[in-house]
């Protein structure tokens, strides 16, 4: 925890660096935060650039920004611009971009605040650049469209994780995602350049880059995944239209002898909330395990918030259980309030007082068994017994998987409401 003196020194050094850079930058019209699509890049500790795109635009005379990843557009409205600098604060994930204006665009750092440390990556951006990886397309490239069986290798290959890759390609441009048992990698966007596959994503949380070599139309070798400042993982893939993940309803469960869960946590107003409260009696209840730090939780919340509005007068209740990175209630409350306001959530989100450690989740809900991912969703029948437990969430980036899940989920809720 930094004291005030340390923080003041850090601010002074940071502003001094910005001032020095600003004096060396161009001050004519090129030194502006111009509207249009920009190409940004974050540099890892081993000097690999993770590229992404964003758009600068005006809204009611105020500068706005949107991260662009495939079909996703995440709007940012917390932009502070001075004569020489730009400060961009993301609405979630407790991260920010601090940059100075240069003759070529922007240069500075992306900073992410964690409970026990702060991480950062060098940031640079050029205006009027809509490409992500290559400016000119190559003809005759291998088409990535379809489903892929993927293996990620950890600890020098001793541990493996299975995933399913699904991509669509038009010309050189590729969009899609990797699906895992804990969720998906959200909207990945990139290219196939000759025989090199490259996709990336950044929306304020951890930046990620996937690269690999296409040997032919059916294999990807020498795959590398770069995430954040220092994480590097190997991976490989084979085209497989039958590739499937394990059933998400059969991963987590209840310990033997249990058919329900119990809890009592505070809501954001400090009131204790329990499943035994009158509000939830004879209701179908969905319990959402989430955290404001979790991108897949954001996708699920974006789905559940309007779903609740549709069914709240038909006998459905939803409760969010927040497992934040901070144990301090004031910090956890601020993060959850931000999430709640961002997605216009009208169901209660409770502050559990536990962190996102999976062991702490099972400690907080002793009946749970094999809890393995955020988000996890529990559907409870009108009599209070557990109907189903779903691990992870396949968001909009997964296309038909998202559509199939949401349709299946709505069908199950309607069935339970009719009982």
């Amino acid at each position: 925890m930094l004291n005030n003196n340390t923080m003041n020194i850090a601010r002074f050094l940071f502003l001094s660096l910005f001032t020095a850079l600003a004096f060396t930058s161009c001050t004519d019209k090129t030194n502006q935060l111009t509207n249009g699509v920009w190409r940004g890049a974050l540099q890892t500790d081993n000097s690999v650039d993770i590229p992404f795109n964003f758009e600068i635009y005006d809204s009611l005379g105020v500068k706005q920004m949107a991260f662009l990843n495939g079909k996703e557009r995440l709007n940012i409205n917390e932009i502070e611009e001075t004569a020489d600098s730009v400060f961009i604060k993301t609405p979630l994930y407790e991260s920010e971009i601090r940059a100075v204006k240069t003759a070529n665009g922007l240069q500075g750092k992306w900073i992410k605040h964690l409970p026990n440390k702060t991480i950062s990556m060098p940031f640079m951006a050029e205006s009027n650049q809509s490409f992500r990886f290559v400016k000119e397309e190559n003809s005759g490239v291998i088409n990535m469209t379809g489903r892929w069986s993927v293996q990620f290798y950890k600890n020098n290959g001793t541990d493996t994780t299975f995933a399913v890759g699904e991509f669509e390609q038009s010309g050189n441009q590729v969009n899609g995602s990797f699906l895992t048992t804990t969720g998906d990698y959200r909207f990945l966007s990139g290219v196939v350049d000759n025989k090199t596959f490259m996709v990336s994503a950044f929306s304020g949380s951890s930046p990620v880059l996937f690269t690999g070599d296409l040997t032919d139309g059916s294999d990807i070798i020498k795959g590398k995944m770069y995430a954040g400042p220092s994480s590097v993982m190997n991976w490989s893939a084979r085209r497989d239209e039958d590739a499937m993940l394990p059933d998400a309803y059969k991963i987590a469960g209840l310990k033997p002898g249990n058919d329900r869960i119990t809890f009592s946590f505070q809501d954001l107003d400090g009131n204790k909330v329990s499943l035994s409260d009158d509000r939830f009696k004879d209701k179908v209840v969905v319990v959402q395990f989430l955290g404001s730090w979790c991108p897949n939780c954001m996708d699920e919340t974006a789905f559940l918030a309007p779903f609740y509005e549709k069914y709240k007068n038909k006998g459905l209740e939803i409760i969010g259980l927040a497992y934040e990175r901070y144990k301090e209630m004031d910090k956890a409350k601020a993060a959850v309030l931000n999430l709640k306001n961002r997605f216009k959530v009208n169901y209660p989100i409770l502050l559990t007082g536990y962190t996102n450690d999976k062991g702490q989740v099972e400690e907080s809900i002793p009946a749970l068994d094999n809890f393995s991912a955020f988000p996890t969703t529990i559907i409870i029948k009108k009599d209070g017994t557990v109907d189903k437990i779903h691990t992870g969430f396949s968001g909009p980036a997964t296309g038909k998987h998202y559509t199939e899940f949401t349709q299946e989920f709505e069908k199950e809720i309607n069935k339970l409401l009719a009982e």
Side-chain angles (χ1 to χ4, degrees), residues 129-145:
Q129 299 290 349
S130 60
F131 77 97
R132 182 167 294 212
F133 288 97
V134 293
K135 287 186 177 181
E136 298 182 3
E137 294 189 358
N138 296 308
S139 60
V141 298
I142 297 172
N143 197 301
M144 282 281 299
T145 298

Side-chain angles (χ1 to χ4, degrees), residues 136-339:
E136 298 182 3
E137 294 189 358
N138 296 308
S139 60
V141 298
I142 297 172
N143 197 301
M144 282 281 299
T145 298
R147 185 178 296 184
W148 298 75
S149 176
V150 183
Q151 291 286 347
F152 290 103
Y153 305 97
K154 301 178 182 178
N155 302 322
N156 294 320
T158 57
D159 296 335
T160 60
T161 301
F162 177 71
V164 175
E166 290 207 346
F167 295 94
E168 295 180 353
Q169 183 172 337
S170 177
N172 283 60
Q173 302 300 308
V174 177
N175 291 292
S177 193
F178 292 100
L179 293 76
T180 74
T181 55
T182 60
D184 61 275
Y185 280 92
R186 307 191 78 249
F187 292 88
L188 298 173
S189 182
V191 298
V192 174
D193 185 39
N194 289 323
K195 291 188 176 182
T196 302
F197 166 72
M198 300 176 285
V199 292
S200 64
F202 178 65
S203 56
S205 185
S206 297
V208 64
L209 164 69
F210 295 88
T211 65
D213 292 340
L214 287 151
T215 59
D216 49 34
S218 60
D219 286 285
I220 302 175
I221 62 171
K222 298 180 181 179
K224 292 282 187 183
M225 182 189 81
Y226 303 90
S230 57
S231 177
V232 184
M233 191 184 303
N234 296 324
W235 65 279
S236 64
R238 173 174 287 274
R239 189 184 293 277
D240 182 0
E241 295 303 324
D242 296 322
M244 292 182 62
L245 292 172
D247 189 342
Y249 287 105
K250 295 182 179 179
I251 297 174
L254 299 179
K255 291 183 175 68
N258 292 274
D259 64 0
R260 65 188 66 215
I261 62 170
T262 60
F263 56 78
S264 180
F265 300 122
Q266 288 185 8
D267 64 16
L268 297 178
D269 295 320
N271 303 310
K272 286 283 188 178
V273 176
S274 170
L275 281 173
S276 60
D277 294 347
D278 289 342
R279 172 176 179 172
F280 308 110
K281 287 183 179 178
D282 301 319
K283 298 283 187 68
V284 175
V285 182
V286 173
V287 180
Q288 176 195 22
F289 291 74
L290 76 154
S292 65
W293 47 270
C294 162
N296 292 126
C297 299
M298 302 304 99
D299 284 340
E300 184 181 56
T301 303
F303 162 68
L304 287 178
F307 188 87
Y308 177 67
E309 296 303 314
K310 182 178 179 179
Y311 282 95
K312 66 181 181 181
N313 294 326
K314 300 178 181 180
L316 174 71
E317 290 290 345
I318 299 179
I319 308 173
L321 301 184
Y323 292 82
E324 295 301 305
R325 285 181 166 144
Y326 301 101
K327 284 191 174 181
E328 298 89 343
M329 280 296 189
D330 57 338
K331 291 183 179 180
K333 181 178 178 179
V336 173
L337 270 173
N338 195 12
L339 178 152

Side-chain angles (χ1 to χ4, degrees), residues 27-196:
T27 58
D28 62 13
K29 291 184 178 180
T30 62
N31 188 25
Q32 302 293 323
L33 190 62
T34 56
N35 288 353
V37 177
W38 291 56
R39 181 183 187 269
L42 299 171
Q43 191 174 80
T44 68
D45 292 347
N46 49 2
S47 299
V48 173
D49 284 348
I50 301 180
F52 63 98
N53 297 104
F54 61 93
E55 183 181 1
I56 299 295
Y57 62 100
D58 289 322
S59 178
L60 300 177
V62 178
K63 288 291 183 187
Q64 305 280 289
M65 173 183 175
F67 289 112
L68 307 175
N69 294 289
K71 298 177 182 178
E72 180 188 47
R73 180 186 177 92
L74 180 63
N75 295 313
I76 307 295
N77 54 21
E78 293 190 52
I79 299 179
E80 181 183 345
E81 183 183 7
T82 67
D84 301 304
S85 307
V86 177
F87 304 87
I88 302 165
K89 186 176 181 181
T90 59
L92 302 165
Y93 315 127
E94 297 185 83
S95 69
E96 58 188 317
I97 293 173
R98 293 173 170 251
V100 294
K101 299 174 182 178
T102 70
N104 297 320
L106 298 172
Q107 186 171 348
K109 285 186 177 294
W110 168 70
I111 303 165
K112 185 171 183 177
H113 305 283
L114 300 172
N116 57 350
K117 63 180 179 179
T118 296
I119 62 173
S120 66
M121 298 176 71
F123 161 79
M124 61 215 76
E126 290 183 86
S127 62
N128 299 316
Q129 299 290 349
S130 60
F131 77 97
R132 182 167 294 212
F133 288 97
V134 293
K135 287 186 177 181
E136 298 182 3
E137 294 189 358
N138 296 308
S139 60
V141 298
I142 297 172
N143 197 301
M144 282 281 299
T145 298
R147 185 178 296 184
W148 298 75
S149 176
V150 183
Q151 291 286 347
F152 290 103
Y153 305 97
K154 301 178 182 178
N155 302 322
N156 294 320
T158 57
D159 296 335
T160 60
T161 301
F162 177 71
V164 175
E166 290 207 346
F167 295 94
E168 295 180 353
Q169 183 172 337
S170 177
N172 283 60
Q173 302 300 308
V174 177
N175 291 292
S177 193
F178 292 100
L179 293 76
T180 74
T181 55
T182 60
D184 61 275
Y185 280 92
R186 307 191 78 249
F187 292 88
L188 298 173
S189 182
V191 298
V192 174
D193 185 39
N194 289 323
K195 291 188 176 182
T196 302

